[in-house]
Amino acid sequence: MTRNKNGGIKAMLAVFIAMFVLLAGYLVYIIDVYGAYWFASPYNTRVTKQKNAVIAGSISDRRGVTLAESDPDGARHYSTNDEIRLSCAHAVGDSSNQTLGAQALLSKYLLGFEQKTGDRLSYLFSDEKRHGDNVSLTIDAKLNRYAYSLLEPNAGAVIVMNYKTGEVLCMTSAPAFDPEKMDAYLSGDEPLADGAMVNRATMGRYTPGSTFKLITAVAALRYLPDAENRVFVCDGPLAFDAASGKQVSLAEAVDSDGNVKEGYALLKDFEDEVHGEITLSEAMKHSCNHTFACIALEIGADRLMKTAESLGIGGEYAFSELVAYCGSMEKPTTDFELAWSGVGQHKDIITPIQLCMLTAGIANGGVAMEPKICLSVSDKSGNIKKRLTSEEYKELFRGNEAEFLAEAMRGVVTGGTGKNAAVDGLSVCGKTGTAEVSSSGKFKPHAWFTGFVADAAHPYAITVIIENGGGGGKIAAPMAATVLEKMMELGY
Amino acid sequence: MLKFRRVGAAKVLLAVLIFVMAAFILLSFSKEKFDARALLFMALTMLLIMVQHMLLCFILPNGDRLTGVLVGFLMGIGLVMQYRLDADTALRQLIFSCFGLAAMVIMLMLMKKPIVLMYLRIPAAIISLGILGALMFVGKESGGAVNWISIGGILFQPSEFVKIAMIIVLAGAMSERTSLRELIVPTLFAVAVCALLVLQRDLGAAMLMAMVYMLMFYAATCKLGTTLLGAAACGVGAVASYYLFDHVKRRVAVWRDPWAMYSTSGYQIAQGLMAIASGGLLGMGLGLGSPKLIPAYRTDYIFAVICEEFGIVFGIGIIAIYLIIVIRGCMAALSVKNRFVSLCAFGASALIAVQAFIIIGGVIKLIPLTGITMPFVSYGGSSLIAFMMLHGIIQAASDIGAGVLERALGADDGEEESGEDDA
């Protein structure tokens, strides 16, 4: 028996060990990443089966205000305050898990799937119906109600996150459904507003408009030499050949009266402003389309896409306590598309929660925290079984990117397009966005504001969108300011 | 390496018996009425595990006790799960287990005279091909694959036994010759078996045979280049079957996104994943899950059922137990001087390893799902009997190897090391 002959068996033994380590590792990995998601799947009939056997635990907000509870017969009741019930509907969810709120995503606690086998068996021998555990959300119902009242009658969403811990303090989406009327909606007896079941804060896929300039700015920092100190020149609109999408000189596209010639298209600034010589940070302050479009053209579609991807655009979120969508981008194929893509139009898409996480990442020195909605889980007698554990989601911004953007965003609020977001006593930083959603001008643009408070005592990031609300600086920024003022009043 | 044989197997055996006892007692209380039959099953299962242990002790003075006990544990958990799912099938599984013990003993006897087994390999190969060929015409369809045959009212799955024939044929040929040119006949045999299995839509078995062939070829010859070439050929075959057969295409599509086709082909995988996710770390508790939602819960999906009720920690424990069995099987192969016996033991270990990997990997969506049984645990007579024969091969090799060593050393090794974790 030579060594060589046994060498084959030994090598294969190593292969077997690797195979089984891979199996075990993959099992842990996939359950860690997708477990909660699969468990909460509406297809998981184990949950519905358990619903009939177990009295589900109650859901309350972070101050203990009850948002949902079950009576001893197992029937589910929601807050009796209409405004609280509607404003928290998406965060809480409904009884039939048509929407992906806490009722669906935290059902493993509410229905007692996380209880110990011993506890569960002890219920088998008693006549008492089994109780699930009670859940406290990170949401503040008062704040939610206030934000919802600001949104109405428009459609839109407000989301506030603690950028140090990831706690979601406010998450409201208008129009909302009424969880008490779910059966009536499903049978068609009660009309349901368009998209009322969709949580716009986490799943609303919107054109980002100028808020996308945060991403373009990161691309500039990464790919343009000395972008921070470079002087850009904004000398009016950019002109393109409409058919080929190629950039042309302005003189070629405009006739002597200043009107656009047939077959050409322009990319203009808001109210046709011309900003002249401008730095990147000033361009952010005034939301200069010209500069950001030029940056996009200069770095090219590939690098713009690569930057956006590194920030999570086109990715997939798998949070344990929230179902959230990411934005997406389609690769621009012409100069015209690329220029518009750089200012958040073309086919750029973002979701409010993604924008909020980007903002939170900037505020938190580059690291975005995973959004959390479950503050604590406690059993029937009030013993706390699980507390919020903050987790890093990802380091989105590298080097001094976060610091640079934070400073630029401070400029936006102190003297730029976001002036209306200023709150006395707080150093608010932010970025406005006005997303054009119809080329004909038939609909008003979506109004965006995303920002944060740069005070260690108030580590909050806020994102506001009002569908067809108008200008971001005029409509969304003041709304964000009011929400922040309300938060100070509530003691945050 | 010499001391691995008698690793406090008695302690592990005790733990296994306590586990089985606790599980059946729990099951006897989990229905509305006290279920005395569970206690009968408890006694029978414990007896089965002990009888296996005693048989091995009696026939093989130097056999690998720990492997025997761990195999007993896997059979035990299989019987617990079958009883929890359906008492009647559990009874049948128990009967299959007895046949399994008998088959193991026969294999032990055969392995005492390896030369007989060497001669048996030619008829075994011919019979294998004959049965697989005949299946094309008289096979019964089950679960999309035509791989069952009915003899006198009893359904057989011949591919389970073809695996053993394959190992013996390959071990026989490879123990004498090592160049690919000389191995052309066994190679053609392997290719023919794989091709027949693919035609019968038994993709799992085909994949398994191909992988076992590669592993045995490398183990016997140490020719990395040729092995990789063979693996590449298998890869080409796999890609070709993807384009040729719709059922292969569907399997891959379902693997990539089972949720997209939840109501049709994705149902099984999605249900399995939900079951594992619902179980969480420590499981829902024996008898408290909903395993019958998953198609093939008794056989291919038993791993998901175990994870649902015992948790993924336990699931990882099962994976670890397979690994221990495989490692010790390979060590037995290394300890034997007789090249044929050594390769037989290696082939048996490889088969257990690859089959466990393919089915567990399929259930947890690591690789596309192919329907094969989980060694020693899944419901099914053919599978259990075949695996007990493989276990017999490993045991016999460990006994021969230890005998050789002990004679060489002229002394007995003391008992050392504590048992592995199981329950």
Side-chain angles (χ1 to χ4, degrees):
Chain A
M1 189 158 57
T2 62
R3 274 197 84 77
N4 178 35
K5 277 183 177 170
N6 271 343
I9 295 181
K10 281 180 190 159
M12 291 302 104
L13 181 55
V15 171
F16 295 145
I17 294 174
M19 272 162 55
F20 283 99
V21 169
L22 178 66
L23 266 189
Y26 186 77
L27 179 58
V28 172
Y29 157 78
I30 199 150
I31 290 300
D32 185 46
V33 176
Y34 294 104
Y37 212 70
W38 289 339
F39 174 79
S41 158
Y43 297 131
N44 195 354
T45 45
R46 286 164 189 80
V47 177
T48 20
K49 186 188 147 199
Q50 200 75 351
K51 259 186 190 162
N52 306 322
V54 173
I55 296 182
S58 67
I59 300 177
S60 58
D61 84 338
R62 62 185 299 130
R63 291 166 187 269
V65 176
T66 303
L67 300 176
E69 61 186 342
S70 293
D71 62 24
D73 298 327
R76 198 80 170 148
H77 299 289
Y78 298 84
S79 172
T80 45
N81 179 315
D82 289 351
E83 287 169 340
I84 287 183
R85 194 169 67 243
L86 285 173
S87 66
C88 296
H90 292 101
V92 171
D94 64 287
S95 310
S96 46
N97 286 5
Q98 296 289 316
T99 57
L100 295 167
Q103 301 243 87
L105 289 157
L106 303 177
S107 54
K108 65 174 167 186
Y109 304 119
L110 294 168
L111 297 175
F113 276 84
E114 292 285 281
Q115 287 169 352
K116 290 195 187 76
T117 309
D119 293 347
R120 296 164 59 130
L121 285 172
S122 71
Y123 277 107
L124 274 181
F125 295 103
S126 72
D127 294 331
E128 204 186 345
K129 242 190 165 185
R130 192 148 74 87
H131 279 263
D133 295 328
N134 299 328
V135 166
S136 290
L137 301 185
T138 55
I139 302 280
D140 185 321
K142 270 189 190 165
L143 186 60
N144 245 19
R145 180 173 72 176
Y146 184 72
Y148 185 79
S149 71
L150 293 175
L151 282 174
E152 271 200 322
N154 284 306
V158 177
I159 178 159
V160 176
M161 221 175 113
N162 180 323
Y163 56 74
K164 294 252 179 258
T165 62
E167 284 164 274
V168 178
L169 278 87
C170 170
M171 179 169 74
T172 189
S173 162
F177 64 96
D178 185 341
E180 295 280 15
K181 294 185 185 155
M182 219 54 197
D183 293 334
Y185 292 137
L186 294 175
S187 65
D189 295 340
E190 181 84 26
L192 187 64
D194 206 20
M197 298 263 224
V198 177
N199 184 354
R200 287 169 156 78
T202 53
M203 295 183 191
R205 293 168 53 80
Y206 295 106
T207 304
S210 298
T211 57
F212 191 85
K213 286 171 184 164
L214 294 169
I215 295 172
T216 311
V218 175
L221 293 174
R222 287 186 191 171
Y223 297 110
L224 297 182
D226 200 24
E228 289 157 68
N229 303 316
R230 182 165 150 184
V231 177
F232 298 87
V233 181
C234 165
D235 53 4
L238 293 169
F240 300 88
D241 182 286
S244 68
K246 273 215 162 58
Q247 193 181 0
V248 295
S249 72
L250 187 60
E252 190 188 327
V254 181
D255 63 22
S256 48
D257 300 332
N259 296 321
V260 191
K261 288 194 228 164
E262 185 93 0
Y264 292 95
L266 297 187
L267 187 157
K268 294 191 211 172
D269 258 281
F270 186 61
E271 291 173 346
D272 293 335
E273 273 179 272
V274 176
H275 299 105
E277 289 193 347
I278 194 168
T279 64
L280 184 58
S281 136
E282 284 164 352
M284 182 77 80
K285 185 169 166 181
H286 301 294
S287 199
C288 173
N289 282 347
H290 181 106
T291 305
F292 283 96
C294 287
I295 289 171
L297 289 169
E298 191 174 338
I299 60 174
D302 285 328
R303 292 195 282 193
L304 184 62
M305 296 273 292
K306 205 175 146 196
T307 308
E309 268 162 33
S310 78
L311 296 173
I313 305 288
E316 189 189 343
Y317 283 144
F319 303 139
S320 54
E321 297 171 2
L322 272 176
V323 173
Y325 293 158
C326 282
S328 59
M329 246 180 114
E330 217 166 273
K331 192 176 171 182
T333 50
T334 65
D335 290 348
F336 185 62
E337 288 177 356
L338 178 55
W340 277 116
S341 189
V343 297
Q345 295 289 149
H346 181 50
K347 287 179 179 158
D348 299 352
I349 296 285
I350 206 161
T351 57
I353 194 163
Q354 181 157 39
L355 193 53
C356 194
M357 282 187 64
L358 286 176
T359 311
I362 294 168
N364 197 28
V367 179
M369 304 302 289
E370 177 174 333
K372 294 281 182 183
I373 194 142
C374 178
L375 188 67
S376 66
V377 177
S378 53
D379 67 13
K380 208 177 129 201
S381 23
N383 304 315
I384 297 212
K385 295 169 74 176
K386 180 188 175 281
R387 282 178 199 280
L388 176 107
T389 41
S390 294
E391 277 173 80
E392 268 186 27
Y393 166 67
K394 206 173 166 187
E395 182 168 4
L396 293 171
F397 303 95
R398 308 192 288 249
N400 66 342
E401 290 166 6
E403 198 188 331
F404 175 83
L405 288 173
E407 253 169 60
M409 288 167 85
R410 181 70 188 137
V412 170
V413 177
T414 50
T417 57
K419 271 180 285 198
N420 291 332
V423 176
D424 276 346
L426 292 182
S427 39
V428 180
C429 310
K431 179 74 194 85
T432 56
T434 307
E436 298 294 342
V437 285
S438 69
S439 46
S440 59
K442 196 171 143 201
F443 297 106
K444 279 208 269 181
H446 292 341
W448 279 103
F449 180 83
T450 188
F452 63 93
V453 183
D455 299 323
H458 312 285
Y460 303 112
I462 177 168
T463 302
V464 174
I465 178 163
I466 302 115
E467 285 182 27
N468 308 113
K474 228 164 147 184
I475 305 293
M479 191 185 288
T482 347
V483 172
L484 289 174
E485 276 162 5
K486 180 75 179 176
M487 285 178 68
M488 295 310 119
E489 190 191 312
L490 290 170
Y492 289 106
Chain B
M1 194 153 97
L2 304 182
K3 287 179 185 166
F4 79 92
R5 270 154 220 295
R6 292 191 188 131
V7 192
K11 283 183 218 152
V12 183
L13 177 67
L14 188 67
V16 169
L17 292 175
I18 290 172
F19 170 81
V20 169
M21 195 159 76
F24 274 111
I25 290 177
L26 198 60
L27 283 176
S28 72
F29 283 108
S30 69
K31 296 207 179 96
E32 273 162 32
K33 256 176 34 190
F34 177 74
D35 181 11
R37 198 144 76 125
L39 297 184
L40 178 68
F41 261 86
M42 172 185 84
L44 292 174
T45 306
M46 289 168 76
L47 190 67
L48 177 84
I49 295 170
M50 284 190 286
V51 166
Q52 187 204 224
H53 186 68
M54 285 187 292
L55 276 174
L56 288 171
C57 290
F58 180 70
I59 301 172
L60 306 173
N62 300 308
D64 182 358
R65 305 282 179 257
L66 181 65
T67 300
V69 172
L70 292 179
V71 166
F73 171 72
L74 291 177
M75 278 201 297
I77 177 86
L79 282 163
V80 166
M81 292 322 286
Q82 294 309 331
Y83 188 83
R84 178 251 173 277
L85 291 164
D86 187 345
D88 294 332
T89 48
L91 182 63
R92 283 167 56 195
Q93 180 77 345
L94 196 63
I95 296 168
F96 294 147
S97 307
C98 298
F99 281 112
L101 285 192
M104 180 186 80
V105 171
I106 293 172
M107 209 64 210
L108 293 178
M109 297 302 176
L110 278 174
M111 288 294 282
K112 292 225 161 172
K113 294 257 179 293
I115 196 80
V116 179
L117 212 51
M118 273 287 263
Y119 284 125
L120 278 176
R121 70 176 209 266
I122 311 273
I126 294 168
I127 293 171
S128 298
L129 282 178
I131 291 180
L132 283 181
L135 266 182
M136 301 291 292
F137 306 103
V138 300
K140 293 231 184 318
E141 193 171 326
S142 167
V146 200
N147 51 8
W148 295 81
I149 198 164
S150 173
I151 298 173
I154 301 167
L155 277 176
F156 275 97
Q157 198 168 9
S159 62
E160 298 289 349
F161 299 101
V162 172
K163 288 172 195 167
I164 299 171
M166 173 103 160
I167 286 171
I168 294 170
V169 169
L170 293 180
M174 289 170 177
S175 62
E176 290 167 350
R177 297 172 284 263
T178 53
S179 89
L180 189 61
R181 198 171 302 142
E182 290 167 320
L183 287 173
I184 196 86
V185 177
T187 303
L188 282 177
F189 169 69
V191 172
V193 166
C194 289
L196 283 169
L197 288 170
V198 171
L199 288 177
Q200 286 159 27
R201 299 177 158 215
D202 199 345
L203 303 173
M207 191 157 120
L208 181 75
M209 302 284 191
M211 282 175 78
V212 168
Y213 175 84
M214 291 301 146
L215 290 165
M216 283 188 74
F217 182 83
Y218 183 78
T221 63
C222 276
K223 284 176 183 155
L224 189 60
T226 323
T227 312
L228 289 179
L229 209 64
C234 287
V236 171
V239 173
S241 66
Y242 175 81
Y243 286 105
L244 282 175
F245 302 111
D246 277 344
H247 59 280
V248 184
K249 236 180 231 168
R250 203 162 48 237
R251 285 282 168 91
V252 174
V254 166
W255 167 62
R256 293 181 61 174
D257 191 359
W259 306 93
M261 36 194 112
Y262 174 77
S263 52
T264 53
S265 352
Y267 180 79
Q268 187 177 31
I269 298 189
Q271 275 295 342
L273 295 175
M274 284 189 286
I276 299 173
S278 303
L281 216 53
L282 298 173
M284 312 242 303
L286 182 59
L288 298 175
S290 311
K292 292 191 180 172
L293 290 170
I294 321 169
Y297 55 86
R298 278 193 194 108
T299 51
D300 305 353
Y301 258 76
I302 194 81
F303 185 74
V305 176
I306 292 175
C307 280
E308 179 180 358
E309 301 212 326
F310 288 94
I312 59 168
V313 171
F314 195 88
I316 290 169
I318 299 248
I319 295 172
I321 285 174
Y322 280 120
L323 181 57
I324 295 169
I325 293 174
V326 168
I327 289 176
R328 293 177 76 91
C330 288
M331 286 168 95
L334 288 171
S335 68
V336 182
K337 244 183 177 166
N338 183 319
R339 195 76 186 134
F340 172 68
V341 174
S342 170
L343 282 175
C344 275
F346 174 78
S349 313
L351 206 118
I352 293 170
V354 174
Q355 181 142 357
F357 178 80
I358 289 178
I359 187 58
I360 297 176
V363 168
I364 66 174
K365 208 171 87 75
L366 175 63
I367 54 173
L369 176 71
T370 48
I372 54 177
T373 56
M374 188 158 135
F376 304 110
V377 182
S378 284
Y379 173 75
S382 311
S383 160
L384 187 60
I385 292 169
F387 274 107
M388 287 310 280
M389 289 168 82
L390 293 172
H391 176 218
I393 294 179
I394 293 175
Q395 285 290 346
S398 74
D399 185 65
I400 297 170
V404 169
L405 287 170
E406 273 168 21
R407 270 197 304 282
L409 290 168
D412 221 320
D413 290 304
E415 295 195 9
E416 254 149 301
E417 280 185 56
S418 62
E420 329 281 341
D421 62 310
D422 49 338

